[in-house]
Amino acid sequence: MQQLESNGVVQVSRTKKLNLKQVAEELGVSTATVSNAFNRPDQLSAKLRERILLEAAELGYHGPNLAARTLRRGESDVIGVMLLDSLTYSLSDPVANQLLQGIAEVLVERNKHMLLLSSRIEAGQQRGAESLPDGFILYGAIDQHSFDFILKTGKPVIVVDSEYKETASVNIDNQNGAFRIAEYAIHDENEKVAILGLRLINTDRVCRLTEADLAQESQEVSQARLAGYQMAAEQKNCHIPAASMWHIPINDAELAEIAAREALTVNPRPTVLLCMSDIIALAAIRVARELNIRVPEELSITGFDDIPESARSEPPITTVCQQSIEKGRMAARLLLDGKAKEHLVLETRLVVRGSCR
Amino acid sequence: MQQLESNGVVQVSRTKKLNLKQVAEELGVSTATVSNAFNRPDQLSAKLRERILLEAAELGYHGPNLAARTLRRGESDVIGVMLLDSLTYSLSDPVANQLLQGIAEVLVERNKHMLLLSSRIEAGQQRGAESLPDGFILYGAIDQHSFDFILKTGKPVIVVDSEYKETASVNIDNQNGAFRIAEYAIHDENEKVAILGLRLINTDRVCRLTEADLAQESQEVSQARLAGYQMAAEQKNCHIPAASMWHIPINDAELAEIAAREALTVNPRPTVLLCMSDIIALAAIRVARELNIRVPEELSITGFDDIPESARSEPPITTVCQQSIEKGRMAARLLLDGKAKEHLVLETRLVVRGSCR
DNA sequence: TTGAAAGCGGTACCAT
DNA sequence: ATGGTACCGCTTTCAA
């Protein structure tokens, strides 16, 4: 397909970027035909299509410009994924990460692209990336402002690990999961139970709760897990006072160690430590080892999430599998299949490993 | 700003999406002024700008449509990040993950967006997402086809953990890192050294190498690490035969366990196990425990990468910190600052922890 | 299968 | 600060 230019140089490397129209001219066909070759194979003969695709590639044209096509069609094939907090933090969190894996799997399968968005909207910094995606997946308790903003685009939205009446959602049964693991870990009324909770109150310091805190509304997920723990404890005739509950502001190993250290040095020492994430449970195991507390003989530790690392620790962690990857898949499917009103609740599964008596 | 419609209903929720032109009409200003309000604050009075932003928001207009703006300006403020293998796999890999964290950090800071791309281009499935980004960051040894494809867009490209003469790159000194850790772990000529290598040859099964394999070219990164190991071993008068090296096709815990099990059951048993990733080293520690081999007393294990989990294992892993997050930051900065020709090589750092004698 | 043409929603230049 | 306008690249309808 290379042709001699008038100056005799073989035209190997065109530097100029061609557009569809120019490609059509070069190939001696109409723009409609070139467009169809890329978008609607049924509108032309297989042979012509083949030729067009091939020669276009040789001209350095690899398909319609996404911006132009999006503008014209009103569809970008891009899905926006908005994560709670900063992108950087979310990427480091194993649970968010598994969710992204599930989403990515389905999007790739369906030929969609994934645009990562942060829910942190800087004051006055509208950057308008929200206008590109055909739909959104929001993870976690996105602040009302960002949520409204996304909603106002009028595009389909699926929420994960949170619930709003306006949109479809994918959740797990946090309360039931927490109930079952607590029921499993707490043997009888003689247990001393402590809880290492995640995002229970609104402060960014690690601290114990007070009875007053328990009356406050907190983030749904944590609230549900806490309720599940308490229900199980009551059923075993155990009471867990607020002073035996710790608040950890983010799911971070170091903060969790601080809380675990406090919780394991009170007197009398807990016999059961219910942790609201595996990251926290892993930290608790490390602290227990540091303090020469044998797990599980002297202390049962439970996690939540079932991240890969929880199966690899010593001892491995008894936890609640929340199927994060599957949640991602479901969210993506709901979105792509236009199920804009469903509220899915996935089952949790109790995963028994070595960290409990 | 709400107005009464002729039917007397307060016009709170317009359902119709407005565009910039309509907003301009509603506000009684020109399109240029609205556009300037969003893009060039210096072109109008602060007061007018304030008013426009506010009233536009009330009309449900949150800024220029990204597709249209991109089409017109030729810039999207979107950066494409292309990962080796499937997106799903890459997201699960802690090193890729840290890289993404670093990239995300800088992009958010600079008001850019991140589009995740997979290097797996399905046969004939050009979908043109490549036309959107203003530039690309490629991670790992992307296949030549995808690489050429991206290069042909003519947009700036930064490669991480790989090197091509056509583009800027960010790498670490793999050979030196490997050399130093091997030098640290191998005490004298009496050591029996085994290597659990990553992507050393071209097969997707775990297997031992043969002498013939060593003559083959393999992926640069692995090759460099292997060379570093060998250099250190020679310096201690140790020879590492090909039969003491294992190939692991991907950085996966289960595959690594298989290899570790083979390596630790040969006779005589190795005294030093050099692992080309922390995931592999962590697997080796588990296998050693299973086989009742004491680490580090009977067996020194080294890792590579310094992922967070390596500091948390028991014993924690002596490894090479490759600053993955920083690599991500540097790559993003290089790209955004238009340094299209630099080849950065970051320092590695030997991180001594408990897994070596 | 084709040619022609109307926008999709903005930006930026120009003259005013 | 404004109105007017050409144009960014593509899709799709229409008539041929």
CSV table of all heavy atoms in Angstrom, one decimal, chain A residues 104-142:
chain,number,residue,atom,x,y,z
A,104,ALA,N,-13.4,-4.5,37.1
A,104,ALA,CA,-12.5,-4.5,35.9
A,104,ALA,C,-12.8,-5.7,35.0
A,104,ALA,O,-12.9,-5.7,33.8
A,104,ALA,CB,-11.0,-4.5,36.3
A,105,GLU,N,-13.0,-6.9,35.7
A,105,GLU,CA,-13.2,-8.1,35.0
A,105,GLU,C,-14.4,-8.0,34.0
A,105,GLU,O,-14.4,-8.3,32.9
A,105,GLU,CB,-13.5,-9.2,36.0
A,105,GLU,CG,-13.6,-10.6,35.5
A,105,GLU,CD,-13.9,-11.6,36.6
A,105,GLU,OE1,-13.2,-11.5,37.6
A,105,GLU,OE2,-14.9,-12.3,36.4
A,106,VAL,N,-15.5,-7.5,34.6
A,106,VAL,CA,-16.7,-7.3,33.8
A,106,VAL,C,-16.6,-6.3,32.7
A,106,VAL,O,-17.0,-6.4,31.6
A,106,VAL,CB,-18.0,-7.1,34.7
A,106,VAL,CG1,-19.2,-6.8,33.8
A,106,VAL,CG2,-18.2,-8.2,35.6
A,107,LEU,N,-16.0,-5.2,33.1
A,107,LEU,CA,-15.9,-4.1,32.1
A,107,LEU,C,-15.0,-4.5,30.9
A,107,LEU,O,-15.4,-4.3,29.7
A,107,LEU,CB,-15.2,-2.8,32.7
A,107,LEU,CG,-16.1,-2.1,33.8
A,107,LEU,CD1,-15.5,-0.8,34.1
A,107,LEU,CD2,-17.5,-1.9,33.3
A,108,VAL,N,-13.9,-5.2,31.2
A,108,VAL,CA,-13.1,-5.6,30.1
A,108,VAL,C,-13.9,-6.6,29.2
A,108,VAL,O,-13.9,-6.5,27.9
A,108,VAL,CB,-11.8,-6.3,30.6
A,108,VAL,CG1,-11.1,-7.1,29.5
A,108,VAL,CG2,-10.9,-5.3,31.2
A,109,GLU,N,-14.6,-7.5,29.8
A,109,GLU,CA,-15.4,-8.5,29.1
A,109,GLU,C,-16.4,-7.8,28.2
A,109,GLU,O,-16.7,-8.3,27.1
A,109,GLU,CB,-16.2,-9.2,30.2
A,109,GLU,CG,-16.8,-10.5,29.9
A,109,GLU,CD,-17.4,-11.0,31.2
A,109,GLU,OE1,-16.6,-11.4,32.1
A,109,GLU,OE2,-18.6,-11.0,31.4
A,110,ARG,N,-16.9,-6.7,28.7
A,110,ARG,CA,-18.0,-6.0,27.9
A,110,ARG,C,-17.4,-4.8,27.0
A,110,ARG,O,-18.2,-4.0,26.6
A,110,ARG,CB,-19.0,-5.4,28.8
A,110,ARG,CG,-19.6,-6.4,29.8
A,110,ARG,CD,-20.8,-7.1,29.2
A,110,ARG,NE,-21.5,-7.9,30.3
A,110,ARG,CZ,-22.7,-7.5,30.8
A,110,ARG,NH1,-23.3,-6.5,30.3
A,110,ARG,NH2,-23.2,-8.3,31.7
A,111,ASN,N,-16.1,-4.8,26.9
A,111,ASN,CA,-15.5,-3.7,26.1
A,111,ASN,C,-15.8,-2.3,26.6
A,111,ASN,O,-16.1,-1.4,25.9
A,111,ASN,CB,-15.9,-3.8,24.7
A,111,ASN,CG,-15.2,-4.9,24.0
A,111,ASN,OD1,-14.0,-5.2,24.3
A,111,ASN,ND2,-15.8,-5.5,22.9
A,112,LYS,N,-15.8,-2.2,27.9
A,112,LYS,CA,-15.9,-0.8,28.5
A,112,LYS,C,-14.6,-0.4,29.1
A,112,LYS,O,-13.8,-1.2,29.4
A,112,LYS,CB,-17.0,-0.8,29.5
A,112,LYS,CG,-18.4,-1.3,29.1
A,112,LYS,CD,-19.0,-0.3,28.1
A,112,LYS,CE,-20.3,-0.8,27.6
A,112,LYS,NZ,-20.8,-0.2,26.4
A,113,HIS,N,-14.5,0.9,29.3
A,113,HIS,CA,-13.3,1.4,30.0
A,113,HIS,C,-13.6,1.9,31.3
A,113,HIS,O,-14.7,2.3,31.6
A,113,HIS,CB,-12.6,2.4,29.1
A,113,HIS,CG,-12.4,2.0,27.7
A,113,HIS,ND1,-13.1,2.4,26.6
A,113,HIS,CD2,-11.5,1.0,27.3
A,113,HIS,CE1,-12.6,1.8,25.6
A,113,HIS,NE2,-11.7,0.9,25.9
A,114,MET,N,-12.5,2.0,32.1
A,114,MET,CA,-12.7,2.3,33.5
A,114,MET,C,-12.0,3.6,33.9
A,114,MET,O,-10.8,3.7,33.7
A,114,MET,CB,-12.2,1.2,34.4
A,114,MET,CG,-12.3,1.3,35.8
A,114,MET,SD,-12.2,-0.4,36.5
A,114,MET,CE,-11.2,-0.1,37.9
A,115,LEU,N,-12.8,4.6,34.3
A,115,LEU,CA,-12.2,5.9,34.6
A,115,LEU,C,-12.2,6.0,36.2
A,115,LEU,O,-13.3,5.9,36.7
A,115,LEU,CB,-12.9,7.0,34.0
A,115,LEU,CG,-12.4,8.4,34.2
A,115,LEU,CD1,-11.0,8.6,33.4
A,115,LEU,CD2,-13.3,9.5,33.6
A,116,LEU,N,-11.1,6.2,36.8
A,116,LEU,CA,-11.1,6.3,38.2
A,116,LEU,C,-11.3,7.7,38.7
A,116,LEU,O,-10.6,8.6,38.2
A,116,LEU,CB,-9.7,5.8,38.8
A,116,LEU,CG,-9.7,4.4,39.4
A,116,LEU,CD1,-10.7,3.5,38.8
A,116,LEU,CD2,-8.3,3.9,39.3
A,117,LEU,N,-12.3,7.9,39.6
A,117,LEU,CA,-12.6,9.2,40.0
A,117,LEU,C,-12.4,9.3,41.6
A,117,LEU,O,-12.7,8.3,42.2
A,117,LEU,CB,-14.0,9.6,39.7
A,117,LEU,CG,-14.4,9.6,38.2
A,117,LEU,CD1,-15.9,9.7,38.1
A,117,LEU,CD2,-13.6,10.7,37.5
A,118,SER,N,-12.0,10.4,42.0
A,118,SER,CA,-11.9,10.5,43.5
A,118,SER,C,-13.1,11.3,43.9
A,118,SER,O,-13.6,12.2,43.3
A,118,SER,CB,-10.6,11.3,43.8
A,118,SER,OG,-10.7,11.9,45.1
A,119,SER,N,-13.6,11.0,45.1
A,119,SER,CA,-14.8,11.7,45.6
A,119,SER,C,-14.4,13.0,46.2
A,119,SER,O,-15.2,13.9,46.5
A,119,SER,CB,-15.6,10.9,46.6
A,119,SER,OG,-15.1,11.0,47.9
A,120,ARG,N,-13.1,13.2,46.4
A,120,ARG,CA,-12.7,14.5,46.9
A,120,ARG,C,-12.8,15.5,45.8
A,120,ARG,O,-12.0,15.6,44.9
A,120,ARG,CB,-11.2,14.4,47.2
A,120,ARG,CG,-10.9,13.8,48.5
A,120,ARG,CD,-11.0,14.8,49.7
A,120,ARG,NE,-10.8,14.1,50.9
A,120,ARG,CZ,-9.6,13.6,51.3
A,120,ARG,NH1,-8.6,13.6,50.5
A,120,ARG,NH2,-9.5,13.0,52.5
A,121,ILE,N,-13.8,16.3,45.9
A,121,ILE,CA,-13.9,17.4,45.0
A,121,ILE,C,-13.3,18.7,45.6
A,121,ILE,O,-13.9,19.2,46.6
A,121,ILE,CB,-15.3,17.7,44.5
A,121,ILE,CG1,-15.8,16.4,43.8
A,121,ILE,CG2,-15.4,18.8,43.6
A,121,ILE,CD1,-17.2,16.6,43.2
A,122,GLU,N,-12.2,19.1,45.1
A,122,GLU,CA,-11.6,20.3,45.7
A,122,GLU,C,-12.6,21.4,45.6
A,122,GLU,O,-13.3,21.6,44.6
A,122,GLU,CB,-10.4,20.7,44.9
A,122,GLU,CG,-9.5,19.5,44.6
A,122,GLU,CD,-8.8,19.0,45.8
A,122,GLU,OE1,-8.4,19.8,46.7
A,122,GLU,OE2,-8.5,17.8,45.9
A,123,ALA,N,-12.6,22.3,46.6
A,123,ALA,CA,-13.5,23.4,46.6
A,123,ALA,C,-13.4,24.2,45.2
A,123,ALA,O,-12.4,24.6,44.8
A,123,ALA,CB,-13.1,24.4,47.7
A,124,GLY,N,-14.6,24.3,44.6
A,124,GLY,CA,-14.6,25.0,43.4
A,124,GLY,C,-13.9,24.4,42.2
A,124,GLY,O,-13.9,25.0,41.1
A,125,GLN,N,-13.3,23.3,42.4
A,125,GLN,CA,-12.5,22.7,41.3
A,125,GLN,C,-13.4,21.7,40.6
A,125,GLN,O,-13.1,20.5,40.6
A,125,GLN,CB,-11.3,21.9,41.9
A,125,GLN,CG,-10.3,22.8,42.4
A,125,GLN,CD,-9.1,22.9,41.4
A,125,GLN,OE1,-9.3,22.7,40.2
A,125,GLN,NE2,-7.9,23.2,41.9
A,126,GLN,N,-14.4,22.1,39.9
A,126,GLN,CA,-15.1,21.2,39.0
A,126,GLN,C,-14.2,20.9,37.8
A,126,GLN,O,-13.8,21.8,37.1
A,126,GLN,CB,-16.4,21.9,38.5
A,126,GLN,CG,-17.3,22.4,39.6
A,126,GLN,CD,-17.8,21.3,40.5
A,126,GLN,OE1,-17.4,20.2,40.3
A,126,GLN,NE2,-18.7,21.7,41.4
A,127,ARG,N,-14.0,19.7,37.6
A,127,ARG,CA,-13.1,19.4,36.5
A,127,ARG,C,-13.8,18.6,35.4
A,127,ARG,O,-13.2,18.2,34.4
A,127,ARG,CB,-11.8,18.6,37.0
A,127,ARG,CG,-11.0,19.6,37.8
A,127,ARG,CD,-9.8,18.9,38.4
A,127,ARG,NE,-10.3,17.9,39.3
A,127,ARG,CZ,-10.1,16.6,39.0
A,127,ARG,NH1,-9.5,16.2,37.9
A,127,ARG,NH2,-10.5,15.7,39.9
A,128,GLY,N,-15.1,18.3,35.7
A,128,GLY,CA,-15.9,17.9,34.6
A,128,GLY,C,-15.6,16.5,34.0
A,128,GLY,O,-16.2,16.1,33.0
A,129,ALA,N,-14.8,15.7,34.7
A,129,ALA,CA,-14.6,14.4,34.2
A,129,ALA,C,-16.0,13.6,34.3
A,129,ALA,O,-16.2,12.6,33.7
A,129,ALA,CB,-13.6,13.6,34.9
A,130,GLU,N,-16.8,14.1,35.1
A,130,GLU,CA,-18.1,13.4,35.3
A,130,GLU,C,-19.0,13.5,34.1
A,130,GLU,O,-20.0,12.8,34.1
A,130,GLU,CB,-18.8,14.1,36.5
A,130,GLU,CG,-18.1,14.0,37.8
A,130,GLU,CD,-16.9,15.1,37.9
A,130,GLU,OE1,-16.9,15.9,37.0
A,130,GLU,OE2,-16.1,15.0,38.8
A,131,SER,N,-18.7,14.3,33.2
A,131,SER,CA,-19.5,14.3,32.0
A,131,SER,C,-19.2,13.2,31.0
A,131,SER,O,-20.0,13.0,30.1
A,131,SER,CB,-19.5,15.7,31.4
A,131,SER,OG,-18.1,15.9,30.9
A,132,LEU,N,-18.1,12.6,31.1
A,132,LEU,CA,-17.7,11.6,30.2
A,132,LEU,C,-18.3,10.3,30.3
A,132,LEU,O,-18.9,9.7,29.3
A,132,LEU,CB,-16.1,11.5,30.2
A,132,LEU,CG,-15.6,10.5,29.1
A,132,LEU,CD1,-15.8,11.1,27.7
A,132,LEU,CD2,-14.1,10.2,29.3
A,133,PRO,N,-18.3,9.7,31.5
A,133,PRO,CA,-18.8,8.3,31.6
A,133,PRO,C,-20.3,8.1,31.3
A,133,PRO,O,-21.1,9.0,31.4
A,133,PRO,CB,-18.5,8.0,33.1
A,133,PRO,CG,-17.5,8.9,33.5
A,133,PRO,CD,-17.7,10.2,32.8
A,134,ASP,N,-20.6,6.9,30.9
A,134,ASP,CA,-22.0,6.6,30.6
A,134,ASP,C,-22.7,6.2,31.9
A,134,ASP,O,-23.9,6.1,31.9
A,134,ASP,CB,-22.0,5.4,29.6
A,134,ASP,CG,-21.4,5.7,28.3
A,134,ASP,OD1,-21.4,6.9,27.9
A,134,ASP,OD2,-21.0,4.7,27.6
A,135,GLY,N,-22.0,5.9,32.9
A,135,GLY,CA,-22.6,5.5,34.2
A,135,GLY,C,-21.5,5.5,35.2
A,135,GLY,O,-20.3,5.6,35.0
A,136,PHE,N,-22.0,5.3,36.5
A,136,PHE,CA,-21.0,5.4,37.6
A,136,PHE,C,-21.2,4.2,38.6
A,136,PHE,O,-22.4,3.7,38.8
A,136,PHE,CB,-21.2,6.7,38.4
A,136,PHE,CG,-21.0,7.9,37.5
A,136,PHE,CD1,-22.0,8.5,36.8
A,136,PHE,CD2,-19.7,8.4,37.5
A,136,PHE,CE1,-21.7,9.6,36.0
A,136,PHE,CE2,-19.4,9.5,36.7
A,136,PHE,CZ,-20.4,10.1,36.0
A,137,ILE,N,-20.1,3.8,39.2
A,137,ILE,CA,-20.2,2.9,40.3
A,137,ILE,C,-19.6,3.7,41.5
A,137,ILE,O,-18.4,4.2,41.4
A,137,ILE,CB,-19.4,1.6,40.1
A,137,ILE,CG1,-20.1,0.8,38.9
A,137,ILE,CG2,-19.4,0.8,41.3
A,137,ILE,CD1,-19.3,-0.4,38.5
A,138,LEU,N,-20.3,3.8,42.5
A,138,LEU,CA,-19.8,4.6,43.7
A,138,LEU,C,-19.5,3.6,44.8
A,138,LEU,O,-20.4,2.7,45.1
A,138,LEU,CB,-20.8,5.6,44.2
A,138,LEU,CG,-21.4,6.6,43.2
A,138,LEU,CD1,-22.3,7.6,43.9
A,138,LEU,CD2,-20.4,7.2,42.4
A,139,TYR,N,-18.4,3.7,45.4
A,139,TYR,CA,-18.0,2.8,46.5
A,139,TYR,C,-18.0,3.4,47.8
A,139,TYR,O,-17.3,4.4,48.0
A,139,TYR,CB,-16.7,2.1,46.2
A,139,TYR,CG,-16.2,1.2,47.3
A,139,TYR,CD1,-17.0,0.2,47.8
A,139,TYR,CD2,-15.0,1.4,47.9
A,139,TYR,CE1,-16.6,-0.7,48.8
A,139,TYR,CE2,-14.5,0.5,48.9
A,139,TYR,CZ,-15.4,-0.5,49.3
A,139,TYR,OH,-15.0,-1.3,50.3
A,140,GLY,N,-18.8,2.9,48.7
A,140,GLY,CA,-18.8,3.4,50.1
A,140,GLY,C,-19.7,4.6,50.3
A,140,GLY,O,-20.5,5.0,49.5
A,141,ALA,N,-19.5,5.2,51.5
A,141,ALA,CA,-20.4,6.3,51.9
A,141,ALA,C,-19.9,7.6,51.3
A,141,ALA,O,-19.2,8.4,52.0
A,141,ALA,CB,-20.5,6.4,53.4
A,142,ILE,N,-20.1,7.8,50.0
A,142,ILE,CA,-19.7,9.0,49.4
A,142,ILE,C,-20.4,10.2,50.0
A,142,ILE,O,-21.6,10.0,50.4
A,142,ILE,CB,-20.1,8.9,47.9
A,142,ILE,CG1,-19.5,7.7,47.2
A,142,ILE,CG2,-19.7,10.2,47.1
A,142,ILE,CD1,-18.1,7.7,47.0
